[in-house]
Amino acid sequence: MSSGKGEQLPRGRVAVSTGRFRRYGLLLASLSLLISQSSAARSKLEGRYRLSGGPDEAAELILKPDGTFEYFLAAGSLDEHAKGRWQDEHRHLQLTTIPKPVAPVFSTGAASRVADAPLVLHVTGPRGGGIAGVDLRVGFDRGEDIDAYTQDYGWSLPEQERRTPRWVEFGVPIYQLNSQRFLLDLTKGNELTFLLTPDDMGEIDFTGMQIDVEPSRIIIHRGEALMVFSRDDAKHGHEPPGNGP
């Protein structure tokens, strides 16, 4: 029979329940500390950085408080951009471009025959228009290669050339883009078209790139070149503390 007083749990169960809540409280406190430490480390780097380059170059790297970044560069005919997430790794910065860019690619197209030149090469875009300014290198059955570049109407091997072309390679140096070596089969034609599919050309994949952090500076290693970005205090409002030894 009920005594009229509320049912009471055994003391052992009360002790277990209290211990469990205490453990959860410690866990939440630890997580809160980790989050605050991460936010503090992130706040040292967040802000706007400008490229320390020449008068014809303009570039910015923006590290946002929510952990995302934006990057752009304009230098003559070169345009680059990227978006993604950033992570402070003490003396290094990790940038992850999201989504991962799809690399541009060269591929073979149509072949036909002409009589006014031993070899004619065209590079076109997905819509069929000719692309000017694409570097090319033609190799022969003997002797030195020829280096040249396309016009929007293509490129022709000089009529006086008596050697047999064996292969061709294409490149767009400002985007560090190089094609595979295409073997030339002149029995199928001597006017050859190659397709350049740009995909995400100009969108930089920073994933895995070495990026150093110094007080007020971020240094991005691009092959043998260094891109030095200095903090724009006018945009950020204060000088960040150094990362320490």
Side-chain angles (χ1 to χ4, degrees), residues 77-144:
S77 59
L78 174 63
D79 291 299
E80 295 181 344
H81 61 277
K83 293 182 178 181
R85 300 200 62 81
W86 67 274
Q87 179 66 43
D88 182 5
E89 296 186 345
H90 191 44
R91 294 183 178 179
H92 301 283
L93 175 67
Q94 177 180 316
L95 298 181
T96 303
T97 304
I98 301 175
K100 186 177 179 65
V102 177
V105 63
F106 286 93
S107 57
T108 55
S112 59
R113 189 165 296 283
V114 294
D116 55 352
L119 177 67
V120 179
L121 300 174
H122 299 275
V123 176
T124 66
R127 296 184 179 181
I131 301 176
V134 176
D135 286 2
L136 62 87
R137 173 171 291 175
V138 177
F140 297 87
D141 56 345
R142 65 185 186 278
E144 297 182 353

Side-chain angles (χ1 to χ4, degrees), residues 10-100:
R11 291 184 179 179
R13 292 183 61 182
V14 173
V16 170
S17 178
T18 302
R20 180 178 301 166
F21 286 130
R22 184 181 297 115
R23 185 170 72 251
Y24 289 161
L26 292 173
L27 175 60
L28 291 174
S30 299
L31 291 176
S32 297
L33 178 60
L34 289 174
I35 292 171
S36 64
Q37 289 175 342
S38 177
S39 299
R42 175 166 289 170
S43 65
K44 293 181 182 180
L45 288 182
E46 66 186 46
R48 186 183 299 265
Y49 298 79
R50 293 185 185 276
L51 180 66
S52 303
D56 297 328
E57 296 177 327
E60 281 192 345
L61 175 63
I62 305 171
L63 305 181
K64 300 181 179 181
D66 63 358
T68 62
F69 79 89
E70 292 185 15
Y71 160 85
F72 82 87
L73 176 143
S77 59
L78 174 63
D79 291 299
E80 295 181 344
H81 61 277
K83 293 182 178 181
R85 300 200 62 81
W86 67 274
Q87 179 66 43
D88 182 5
E89 296 186 345
H90 191 44
R91 294 183 178 179
H92 301 283
L93 175 67
Q94 177 180 316
L95 298 181
T96 303
T97 304
I98 301 175
K100 186 177 179 65

Side-chain angles (χ1 to χ4, degrees), residues 24 27 57 65 72 106 156 158 173 179 193 220 228 232:
Y24 289 161
L27 175 60
E57 296 177 327
F72 82 87
F106 286 93
S156 297
S179 78
T193 298
I220 300 178
V228 180
D232 187 348

Side-chain angles (χ1 to χ4, degrees), residues 180-209:
Q180 67 186 80
R181 176 171 292 186
F182 295 100
L183 300 180
L184 301 178
D185 184 358
L186 298 184
T187 62
K188 297 180 179 179
N190 64 340
E191 183 176 26
L192 308 175
T193 298
F194 295 85
L195 176 66
L196 172 56
T197 304
D199 287 317
D200 295 327
M201 180 181 289
E203 185 170 358
I204 302 304
D205 187 2
F206 284 106
T207 305
M209 196 173 295

